[in-house]
Amino acid sequence: METELHPALEPVKFLLGQWEGAGVGGYPTIESFRFGQEISFSHIGKPFLIYTSRTWRLDDEGNLGMPLATESGYWRPQPEGRLEVIIAHPTGIAEIYLGEITGTRVEMSTDIVARTETAKEVTAGKRLYGLIGEDLGYAYDLAAEGQGLQSHLSAQLKRVS
Ligand code: HEM
């Protein structure tokens, strides 16, 4: 049965579906790397998107290797293009973002980052998502381990369903 889209999701409808692609990552404290990624945005008829992401290391031949980061959460569009996002990480981190939707572009910055006792010292994040033609692109800036907010990842994904 097709679930009817909640009207609050109209501004983020362009994200719905499964996306697959590849990206690059780095940070001053680590070696740069390539990764493959699957992202899913779905809904259950309520005013939020369900978001999940899985990633794998990508070698020079383009083969997927070890699993890397995974994350999941909820995207909650609000009136006037505002957006609230909650993302949980298995690394003991929970991020709360406040953002804005402008056409097919979403920009968000962390309001709060909470960490378990053993999590790395992540203090802030900024994410930019947007359609590039028919693809989904994003860039993620991270402040962690005493470093200022700067690029950790960027990727481009194709819609697969
Ligand atoms: C597509 C998603 C991501 C991928 C593929 C990815 C990949 C990586 C890799 C390969 C490393 C270096 C090796 C390691 O420590 O595992 C790393 C380090 C790190 N990542 Fe990510 N990451 C992702 C998302 C995130 C997010 C969302 C955060 C913060 C909430 C984050 C925070 C960190 C931190 C704090 C480090 C350690 C830096 C250090 O030890 O100095 N990463 N990431």
Side-chain angles (χ1 to χ4, degrees):
M1 193 184 83
E2 182 89 349
T3 307
E4 205 176 316
L5 192 73
H6 192 287
L9 296 188
E10 216 38 60
V12 287
K13 207 169 60 174
F14 69 94
L15 291 168
L16 278 170
Q18 314 283 328
W19 303 85
E20 285 180 16
V24 292
Y27 207 63
T29 52
I30 60 173
E31 292 212 357
S32 56
F33 56 91
R34 293 174 67 216
F35 62 94
Q37 184 167 28
E38 285 179 12
I39 288 180
S40 157
F41 287 101
S42 59
H43 77 100
I44 54 169
K46 294 178 72 83
F48 54 81
L49 291 178
I50 301 171
Y51 161 78
T52 60
S53 157
R54 295 182 65 191
T55 60
W56 296 264
R57 194 171 284 277
L58 196 58
D59 69 19
D60 291 340
E61 283 77 51
N63 303 308
L64 292 180
M66 260 181 39
L68 292 174
T70 178
E71 60 184 31
S72 65
Y74 301 99
W75 291 39
R76 300 160 36 85
Q78 303 298 320
E80 287 148 25
R82 283 174 293 119
L83 176 70
E84 300 176 355
V85 176
I86 301 171
I87 299 177
H89 304 267
T91 48
I93 289 160
E95 300 178 284
I96 290 182
Y97 284 92
L98 300 179
E100 261 182 47
I101 308 155
T102 319
T104 56
R105 184 184 151 104
V106 176
E107 193 167 353
M108 62 175 96
S109 295
T110 47
D111 180 34
I112 301 169
V113 180
R115 308 186 300 263
T116 63
E117 209 172 70
T118 57
K120 293 247 176 169
E121 200 216 347
V122 172
T123 53
K126 183 171 179 200
R127 295 176 183 228
L128 192 62
Y129 291 81
L131 290 187
I132 306 167
E134 300 205 325
D135 293 357
L136 175 66
Y138 76 84
Y140 168 60
D141 289 354
L142 165 73
E145 302 290 307
Q147 308 289 317
L149 193 65
Q150 60 195 285
S151 178
H152 183 36
L153 313 164
S154 62
Q156 193 161 334
L157 300 93
K158 293 202 175 305
R159 185 191 291 284
V160 292
S161 71

